[in-house]
Amino acid sequence: MDKSVPTVAGPVFVQNPDGSLFQGNPPCYEERTPPGTPRAHVFDATQLQSSDIVRVLARHEGLFLLLLLVQLIVEIFFEYMHIKYKDDATFELSLIYPSVAHWVLVEFYWMAFVGECVYCCLYFGLGVLAAFKGKPKLYHRFSAVALIGTLGQLPLAYLNRFNLLVFFLRFISYAYARFQWNLLQGIGLLREEFL
């Protein structure tokens, strides 16, 4: 009886007594190339600006603008109050500083008012520009101006113009601008990393 041994065209798998598998390949056997990856293209850095990141940035810019709006309303209200009651304020200053002439106190009071107005124009202009442009450098400049304004509130206590609410709003604006600056810097670094 002639029994022929069947030929095997592919690999043979044999189970060892310990349960592991062993692959045996016939001579001249070549593995087929595996199928391609399901990704149609290589990573694109523009995908980093997904809708989630844009939405988060837009929300933070909106909150920053809302903070600036609240602060603008507070600043206008308090400057109006300072002008409305300037005579009472200068009278109180003349009681605190009796050796200084009244006209000098009035001049200092008006210089403080003009300085606050100039500062507010720069402050709010730079803040709105930073929010609309969304550049880290502008947020950094705004945070420096906000810190100067925050610390600049302290000497105004000598003219009875110190306002705790304005002080804290400027400090919060400073902190939020630093947060925005760090956020945009981080996104910029991620973008550069994948380019």
Side-chain angles (χ1 to χ4, degrees):
M1 297 208 131
D2 190 291
K3 289 189 175 181
S4 64
V5 178
T7 59
V8 179
V12 176
F13 294 95
V14 179
Q15 184 174 7
N16 292 326
D18 66 351
S20 62
L21 292 176
F22 178 75
Q23 178 181 354
N25 294 330
C28 299
Y29 174 76
E30 290 184 26
E31 291 277 341
R32 287 183 282 178
T33 57
T37 141
R39 289 186 226 140
H41 51 77
V42 186
F43 177 75
D44 187 12
T46 58
Q47 288 178 344
L48 190 60
Q49 278 194 349
S50 67
S51 62
D52 292 336
I53 292 174
V54 171
R55 189 172 55 243
V56 166
L57 285 176
R59 174 172 282 172
H60 282 297
E61 287 170 354
L63 288 173
F64 182 72
L65 285 172
L66 181 65
L67 177 64
L68 286 178
L69 178 67
V70 167
Q71 189 171 356
L72 178 65
I73 292 168
V74 167
E75 295 259 3
I76 288 172
F77 176 73
F78 280 115
E79 287 303 321
Y80 169 74
M81 297 300 285
H82 283 302
I83 290 186
K84 184 176 179 182
Y85 297 107
K86 70 177 171 15
D87 294 331
D88 294 335
T90 54
F91 176 72
E92 286 178 10
L93 285 174
S94 66
L95 293 176
I96 295 172
Y97 306 110
S99 62
V100 180
H102 183 70
W103 68 271
V104 173
L105 294 174
V106 171
E107 290 296 320
F108 274 126
Y109 199 80
W110 281 108
M111 283 190 324
F113 172 75
V114 169
E116 279 286 313
C117 288
V118 169
Y119 172 79
C120 284
C121 289
L122 175 69
Y123 178 84
F124 290 112
L126 195 56
V128 169
L129 186 67
F132 281 116
K133 292 265 186 173
K135 303 280 185 191
K137 188 181 284 186
L138 290 174
Y139 278 108
H140 186 65
R141 286 183 186 154
F142 175 81
S143 67
V145 170
L147 185 61
I148 289 168
T150 302
L151 297 176
Q153 276 289 305
L154 299 176
L156 292 178
Y158 292 107
L159 293 174
N160 283 345
R161 289 182 54 97
F162 177 77
N163 191 323
L164 195 58
L165 181 59
V166 170
F167 177 83
F168 281 119
L169 283 173
R170 286 183 185 175
F171 182 74
I172 290 169
S173 296
Y174 161 76
Y176 207 83
R178 292 293 293 190
F179 167 74
Q180 282 288 92
W181 176 69
N182 285 329
L183 185 66
L184 289 171
Q185 286 285 97
I187 290 172
L189 288 175
L190 283 175
R191 220 181 274 150
E192 288 173 8
E193 182 178 310
F194 289 112
L195 287 180

